Amino acid sequence: MLEIADKSDSERGFASVGFFIVAILTVFVMAPFIIHSLSDVIVIRTLAGPQVPIANAPGYRYKLTLEVEVDGQIKSASNVVDVRYVEKSFPEKHTNIAITGDALFLDLGPTRRPLIALLTAQPKPEDRSASPRNGWGESDPASVVGKAFASEPDFINGQIKAGFGALVGRGPRTITTADLPDLVTFTDINDPKTVMAVNPNNFEASLGEGVKWHSISIEIVDEIITQGIEQRLSWLSSYFDRMLDGHRPGQPNNHSLAANLSTASFLRRGY
């Protein structure tokens, strides 16, 4: 019995030593992966969060107002959008533009397609080489605001010294169709795939006869940010991970307008 007990104790000893060796080897083998994973977490946290709260970052709020005459009646709508310039330091120092607000939705009547002014504008060929950019930017209208308020006495070299926020209370400025963000409509408001571009200089082609501009203006304000476009476009919440034609980024697409638009053109919440 003593020999059996000794043999059992010996086996347990070898097993313990073996487990210890395996544990040590596991630590050495897995350490690079653990460190890499931790660094990924640090990187993700650095990229995901601004170094200062967005609300405290420099920026401004613009109010875009569109007035359209439809069969002799004036239809108008406005949207207030917040623009913040958030400083980042990873992977190198740069500035992110954080947008909060909704696209402008103008209801032209029960028998008409709506007119929607997006939050974004694709660069026009004549703007690609311009410095500074002409017209509405891909995320914000800084160039449009700068041009609209250029006659203000405190503008220095095309930029207002105190920032665009200092323009609050100075009233709206008339802008042209060349200054607008991209305009779209839907042949079926419940089907995002039916999105179509609206030529601001040819409403008849997409909105029908009897529709023409009355006025376009932009203003710097301290009003409440416009929200609620999800009530107009009920499908928006289902398309945050895909383009308007239904395909996800990286998947083959037909390069249509719907394939190149995402919910980010209609709604932003600080990105």
Side-chain angles (χ1 to χ4, degrees), residues 9-172:
D9 289 342
S10 176
E11 289 176 348
R12 283 196 293 269
F14 280 118
S16 298
V17 172
F19 178 79
F20 179 75
I21 293 172
V22 170
I24 293 296
L25 289 173
T26 300
V27 169
F28 278 104
V29 171
M30 294 301 295
F33 296 99
I34 295 171
I35 293 171
H36 181 71
S37 297
L38 288 174
S39 65
D40 282 348
V41 171
I42 294 171
V43 168
I44 290 170
R45 288 179 62 86
T46 303
L47 290 175
Q51 294 180 337
V52 297
I54 289 177
N56 297 334
Y60 61 97
R61 288 185 184 181
Y62 70 83
K63 182 178 184 178
L64 177 66
T65 300
L66 305 184
E67 291 189 343
V68 173
E69 185 178 325
V70 183
D71 298 326
Q73 296 185 339
I74 302 300
K75 305 281 186 179
S76 66
S78 301
N79 67 330
V80 175
V81 178
D82 189 80
V83 180
R84 297 289 143 187
Y85 300 105
V86 184
E87 296 298 326
K88 298 278 190 173
S89 60
F90 185 90
E92 58 186 17
K93 190 173 182 180
H94 64 286
T95 302
N96 277 2
I97 302 177
I99 306 294
T100 302
D102 290 358
L104 186 156
F105 189 102
L106 178 51
D107 187 346
L108 300 183
T111 62
R112 297 277 189 176
R113 297 169 182 167
L115 174 62
I116 302 170
L118 301 180
L119 296 170
T120 57
Q122 294 300 314
K124 299 177 179 62
E126 61 270 23
D127 290 338
R128 293 184 187 277
S129 59
S131 182
R133 269 280 307 273
N134 298 316
W136 203 278
E138 293 178 66
S139 295
D140 75 307
S143 295
V144 173
V145 173
K147 183 170 65 173
F149 290 87
S151 62
E152 293 295 316
D154 43 1
F155 252 65
I156 300 175
N157 296 326
Q159 295 293 324
I160 194 164
K161 189 173 182 180
F164 288 159
L167 296 171
V168 172
R170 302 197 190 186

Side-chain angles (χ1 to χ4, degrees), residues 187-207:
T187 57
D188 180 355
I189 197 67
N190 297 310
D191 185 356
K193 293 190 295 295
T194 66
V195 66
M196 61 185 299
V198 173
N199 183 339
N201 299 312
N202 183 14
F203 276 163
E204 184 175 338
S206 52
L207 301 177

